[in-house]
Every structure is written in C-alpha cells, then in structure tokens.
Amino acid sequence: MDLFDRTEQSRTGAGEKAILVHLELPDAMGREDLDEFHHLVTSSGVEPVAELTGKRNRPDPALFIGSGKSEELANLVKELQADVVLFNHALSPGQERNLEQAVKCRVLDRTGLILDIFAQRARTHEGRLQVELAQLRHLATRLVRGWTHLERQKGGIGLRGPGETQLETDRRLLRDRIRAIESRLEKVRKQRAQGRRARQRSETPLISLVGYTNAGKSTLFNAITTGDVYVADQLFATLDPTLRKVRIPGVGPAILADTVGFIRHLPHRLVQAFRATLEETINASLLLHVTDCSAEERDSNVQAVNEVLEEIGGDKLPVLHVYNKVDNLDQAPKIERDEHGQPWRVWISAQTGAGFDLLFEAIAERLASGWVDCWVRLPADAGRLRARLHAAGEVLDEQAAMDGSMLLRINVNRVHFERLLREQGLSEEELVVPAPAVAGDETPSYNSERSRDASHH
C-alpha cells in the first residue's frame, strides 16, 4: 500500500454510513457541540446512521470510551454495516489504532473529519497544498496504523531499502514531502507579502471578514463585491481566501478579504498550515467579525473566534462586530456604539441587504481617522492630479468654476493625499478651500490667498 494512498483511505466518502460517538466530559465541549458535530458530518457528505453517547469523568487511555462502550460500538458497526466511525473528540494515535482493531472499521477523530472536509473544499493550488501539509502532519503521528510488518525489512528485488524498515522509509518520505510543500508555500507567502507591500504603498485599507464557520461571511462578501464566492449552508463552505477591490461609501477604494471560517477547538496544525491564508487577517486595517446573531450559541462562537485570532496574533487589531441574519430574529438593523461614541456592533442581513447603509457608515467611521474629507480647488491644468484623486479615494462632489478651475469634495487617505501633493509640488494650504456657500456656485472666488487664510483660521 502506498504511503499517500493511506491518506486517501482515511477520508470519508459520499454515501458512506457513519456512526457518531460523543462523550460528555467534565472539561469538554457542551451539548450544543453535538449539533455542530452533526453539521460537520453532513457537510462531509457522510450519512449518519446511529449515535453513541455516554458520560465519563476522564477518557480511557486505551480505547477513549472504555471496553464496554467499545463492545457496544462494535455491535452497532456490525448490525448497521457502517463504513466509518466518527468521534467528536481528538484521539491519540494509539486510541485510534486500538478502536479500529476493536470495532473492525475505520475510525476518524474530529481533527481527521475537519481535514477531510478541508480536502473536499480546497479549490486553488495554494489551498490544496495547505490541506495536504496539514494531512501529512496529522498522518505523521499515525504511521504505525495499518501496518503489521513494521519491523520487517522490505523484501524482493529492487524493493530492499538501505537498511530501513518500512516505517523508517515512510517517515523519510513524509519528511521529504512536508519539506517540499513548506518550500512551495513559502513562495506563496512571499508573493502575498509583495501584494501587501503594494497595497500599503497605495495606502489602500484591507478589510478582512472573520467569523465562525457558516456565519454568512461569503454571502456578505458577495453582496458587497457582487462577487461569485461559493455560498452554501455548510461548515467550511469557503476555504480559499478571496480578495476583491471595492469602493466603500465614505472610504473609497478598499480591499475586502473573505477568509476560512473558524470553529471551536480548531486543530493547531490547521492553524499552522493555513498561516499564509490567515496572514490576510492579521495584516488587516479593520476586521469585520461576522456572527450569526440567530444562533443559540452565538456568544460561545464569538469566544471561539477570539481564541483563534489570539493564536494567530490578530487579537490587537481594530474590530467591528457584524451581527448577521437579523431577518431570522425579526430584528431591525441598527448600529451600537461604545462609551466613546465609536461604532462597535452593526446588526444587518447579508441575505436581504438590510442595514448595509449602516454597515458602510460604521466602516467609514472606524477608518476615518486616517482620511481627509475636504474641498479642494484645482487649477485648469491639474487634470492629472484630478484623475489621481479620483483613483485614490472618493470624489463626493465636483463643480466647475467659470475660470476653468474645478472644485472637488474629496474623501481620501491622508498619507496618500500628502504624497500626491508632494509629487505635484503643491501644499495642502494652496488647494484646500471652504465649502461653497451655495451648491452650484460657479464664481471663481476661491483663490489660493483665500484658501491660505482659511487654513490659518
């Protein structure tokens, strides 16, 4: 059996029958997590045919569920002709191997199930590499599984290794493959870093969507960008990061990033493998933390996301909480503000578009500190600067004066605005003017002297 075929063999497949196992442990996940486990299983395409639950003070070191429950599980597997047993817990390699021998059936733990779903969802080359890396790291701890001849030398002409056992050869192959994938992912990270540096030079803000899986991030992303990111009522429907350039009212050009959803007890090796993807999160100007406000466990979901953000170093970034799916609660869209008057939570519906105006208003306020909102007077020969201002931010209003000059009300990133002025050899005092007293005023009364006087006052 080939080493990498065994990765395929541990996967679940569509139409397979599965028995689910969940133990209530004093320090473990609550009852609501069993519902989430059901959602995970159906998201993988497997048909749950039975559920085995129990209560223990601590897991059994050898079989996790104990010998009595193992016999009960083995009888269930035989009676229902199950193809796989799925545990809503992390199993040690030894426990997984002992359980497979006891129940005569494939056994997958929670980490293996999540890895399987990730393998099904990955679409891009980068996503597939990241999934394979996570799978190989998981497999590295379970190599003993499935081999009865581990301590025998390979036999046969052309098959004998250089004094290696089968297990040693497998470990070497795994190490080589992991190193090769890490090297390719390092190139991806460098490419992403170059893209981020280009965005930082243009001062384009990066707004990153984060949140619990199935909270509606991709629906919101598609609604804002008119994009076509895959949306489904499944856990981990989005796996590959998607970036789109958008224009946010009151902000101007921005990059919006849709990322993989988080989940309770997200396996650490998955967080490590998806570092390149999650770097889009930790380099954001603003995080939109999307939460399904109609979910019973919404508070614990928020806490689970915060734990992952802390693990990847994104817990110090500015966050705007977006409570999605208000249509499920019959709740009106609204903005909630903190003690300083800053927006900290917005209630919306990504499905119906209700509350989007409030969301854009809140985003603009949270990003406003680094932005200039003012009127400028451009001479007739400053067409290049006018085009650059249109490209760099939002031109909220534009009026022509009789002398050929243009009055523009701009909303643009301050650092970028100052850089544009330096490139043109101009100063803010020369261009900035008071707002026109009457809309449509075409008198060329806004001269640089007046603007300089206005700026001093």
Side-chain angles (χ1 to χ4, degrees):
M1 186 190 301
D2 184 78
L3 168 67
F4 301 110
D5 286 342
R6 293 203 303 283
T7 309
E8 294 296 323
Q9 194 191 50
S10 66
R11 290 183 183 177
T12 57
E16 283 190 324
K17 294 179 182 177
I19 294 173
L20 315 188
V21 181
H22 176 87
L23 278 190
E24 295 287 349
L25 299 167
D27 59 343
M29 302 163 276
R31 179 72 194 178
E32 77 278 1
D33 197 64
L34 184 52
D35 297 331
E36 179 180 271
F37 185 49
H38 270 280
H39 206 163
L40 270 174
V41 171
T42 53
S43 293
S44 73
V46 171
E47 179 195 351
V49 292
E51 186 182 291
L52 184 66
T53 59
K55 223 172 192 179
R56 287 184 68 96
N57 289 328
R58 66 179 66 86
D60 180 70
L63 291 164
F64 194 85
I65 53 176
S67 55
K69 281 284 180 188
S70 296
E71 286 178 27
E72 192 180 336
L73 181 59
N75 291 333
L76 266 177
V77 168
K78 192 174 179 182
E79 179 189 336
L80 298 170
Q81 301 283 292
D83 302 295
V84 63
V85 175
L86 302 174
F87 274 72
N88 191 20
H89 308 278
L91 300 175
S92 71
Q95 287 168 338
E96 203 168 292
R97 187 172 64 254
N98 294 340
L99 282 162
E100 285 191 342
Q101 290 170 353
V103 302
K104 305 291 188 290
C105 178
R106 270 186 306 131
V107 173
L108 271 183
D109 67 355
R110 183 181 169 89
T111 301
L113 178 61
I114 292 174
L115 280 169
D116 177 67
I117 296 171
F118 272 40
Q120 293 178 39
R121 300 282 189 272
R123 296 287 178 270
T124 65
H125 176 62
E126 176 195 353
R128 289 187 179 120
L129 281 177
Q130 290 178 134
V131 171
E132 187 182 350
L133 178 61
Q135 285 180 316
L136 291 177
R137 284 175 173 163
H138 185 65
L139 180 63
T141 63
R142 286 160 164 74
L143 272 185
V144 176
R145 212 174 99 191
W147 290 90
T148 56
H149 59 289
L150 292 172
E151 298 309 318
R152 293 208 300 266
Q153 299 289 103
K154 286 186 188 174
I157 295 173
L159 294 176
R160 190 178 303 280
E164 291 181 308
T165 63
Q166 179 68 57
L167 180 58
E168 287 167 345
T169 304
D170 279 354
R171 283 180 175 152
R172 179 170 53 78
L173 288 171
L174 264 181
R175 282 195 302 270
D176 292 347
R177 182 64 179 156
I178 286 173
R179 272 197 295 268
I181 294 174
E182 285 175 337
S183 171
R184 287 156 78 178
L185 282 174
E186 188 58 39
K187 290 179 183 174
V188 172
R189 277 194 277 273
K190 286 177 181 173
Q191 288 167 355
R192 285 192 180 279
Q194 284 176 341
R196 278 195 296 274
R197 281 195 294 273
R199 288 199 300 272
Q200 286 162 358
R201 280 196 297 273
S202 67
E203 306 302 333
T204 306
L206 173 64
I207 303 167
S208 188
L209 296 172
V210 298
Y212 206 75
T213 183
N214 210 34
K217 296 183 300 301
S218 295
T219 304
L220 177 60
F221 181 86
N222 285 342
I224 293 176
T225 64
T226 62
D228 55 357
V229 171
Y230 177 65
V231 175
D233 183 20
Q234 296 175 323
L235 300 187
F236 303 117
T238 301
L239 188 59
D240 302 303
T242 310
L243 281 76
R244 293 281 188 279
K245 192 167 186 176
V246 294
R247 294 189 78 84
I248 303 288
V251 173
I255 303 294
L256 191 65
D258 188 18
T259 57
V260 61
F262 299 153
I263 196 169
R264 280 182 198 81
H265 307 104
L266 188 67
H268 183 69
R269 62 173 59 89
L270 277 184
V271 176
Q272 285 181 318
F274 280 77
R275 201 180 85 195
T277 299
L278 296 172
E279 278 175 357
E280 296 301 341
T281 297
I282 62 176
N283 287 282
S285 313
L286 178 67
L287 295 181
L288 297 187
H289 182 163
V290 183
T291 302
D292 178 357
C293 64
S294 63
E296 288 181 22
E297 60 279 3
R298 73 181 184 199
D299 293 337
S300 57
N301 288 354
V302 169
Q303 182 56 36
V305 173
N306 289 338
E307 286 171 7
V308 179
L309 285 174
E310 189 175 347
E311 188 173 350
I312 65 175
D315 53 322
K316 299 292 189 294
L317 293 171
V319 178
L320 176 64
H321 290 268
V322 180
Y323 269 27
N324 187 27
K325 306 189 184 181
V326 293
D327 46 318
N328 291 347
L329 288 182
D330 204 19
Q331 161 88 46
K334 62 180 178 179
I335 293 181
E336 290 184 36
R337 298 178 180 275
D338 61 18
E339 63 273 18
H340 306 295
Q342 261 202 337
W344 78 279
R345 184 161 64 193
V346 189
W347 298 68
I348 68 156
S349 169
Q351 191 72 48
T352 66
F356 274 25
D357 53 337
L358 299 177
L359 175 62
F360 294 144
E361 179 187 329
I363 292 172
E365 281 191 52
R366 292 299 300 268
L367 293 174
S369 56
W371 289 68
V372 177
D373 186 343
C374 64
W375 284 86
V376 294
R377 177 180 181 273
L378 301 183
D381 59 355
R384 179 183 169 83
L385 177 56
R386 175 177 169 274
R388 296 285 295 277
L389 286 171
H390 268 281
E394 266 200 317
V395 175
L396 306 174
D397 197 0
E398 191 167 2
Q399 301 174 20
M402 291 179 68
D403 64 350
S405 62
M406 296 293 296
L407 287 173
L408 278 68
R409 186 187 166 197
I410 60 168
N411 186 46
V412 67
N413 182 282
R414 172 165 288 284
V415 176
H416 198 43
F417 180 54
E418 290 171 354
R419 183 185 295 125
L420 282 176
L421 293 181
R422 280 197 305 273
E423 288 174 1
Q424 301 294 321
L426 297 168
S427 67
E428 196 171 330
E429 290 81 5
E430 288 178 272
L431 293 186
V432 176
V433 296
V438 181
D441 182 7
E442 293 188 352
T443 57
S445 56
Y446 293 93
N447 54 45
S448 54
E449 289 300 322
R450 179 175 170 179
S451 66
R452 274 194 286 272
D453 291 341
S455 66
H456 289 309
H457 294 297

